[in-house]
Amino acid sequence: NLDRTEPQRTQQRENMTIDVAQIETRLFINNEFVNSESGKTFATLRPDTEEVICEVQEADKADVDKAVAAAEEAFKLGSPWRSMDATDRRDLMLKLADLIVRDRDYFEELEALDNGKPLGREDYYGTKADIYLVIQHFRYYAGWADKIQGSVIPVEGNNLCYTRREPIGVCGCIIPWNFPMAMLAWKMAPALACGNT
């Protein structure tokens, strides 16, 4: 019944502690926050009130090209990422999951503010469930980072036949509005676990 849940949703939103003036609105490219090449921004709105939350940098082709170039550089043979042991990649992903846990309340509130979802209750539904899934996906795929292996295939004669699984390189992902952090984790975690950029 909407009449029963609406007061709870309103109360949850009134209790949010996010200072919108402190929200990072720049693009994250090559391990730093930067303004868009064009300088354009767009307003992101609260779905429940249609108030402007903040102005966010608007990425376009030049920004995507810059991000892809940085990812290609990070993927080059001999680069720290490319030559990293799978166990180290696993540990970095687990560290990321731990950092999300540390800032979980903030991310839950930010997702609710930006998305219009309720925070949820008792870690069920709403953004509480979304952020829980983000953490679990990074942890799950971190566990796969050092378990990706090929096969030796029996063949006739004095031959060696094997498969070797290798990362493919730069991966791009499009994130929809309804589960932004969860969709990011669903796409980014397996790509990183495999060694892609």
Side-chain angles (χ1 to χ4, degrees), residues 20 23-25 42-45 51-56:
V20 294
I23 295 174
E24 179 57 69
T25 61
F42 68 94
T44 183
L45 307 176
E51 295 172 80
V52 173
I53 301 169
C54 58
E55 293 283 328
V56 177

Side-chain angles (χ1 to χ4, degrees), residues 45-106:
L45 307 176
R46 285 183 66 153
D48 60 333
T49 65
E50 296 185 357
E51 295 172 80
V52 173
I53 301 169
C54 58
E55 293 283 328
V56 177
Q57 293 294 310
E58 183 176 320
D60 60 20
K61 182 182 182 318
D63 302 297
V64 172
D65 289 345
K66 196 163 128 182
V68 169
E72 286 173 340
E73 187 66 28
F75 191 70
K76 280 186 177 174
L77 283 175
S79 71
W81 177 256
R82 188 76 182 269
S83 55
M84 182 182 293
D85 289 337
T87 52
D88 292 334
R89 206 166 50 243
R90 174 203 63 204
D91 293 345
L92 284 174
M93 292 179 67
L94 290 171
K95 182 177 181 180
L96 176 58
D98 291 343
L99 291 171
I100 296 168
V101 169
R102 181 194 72 192
D103 296 330
R104 182 180 194 154
D105 292 342
Y106 175 80

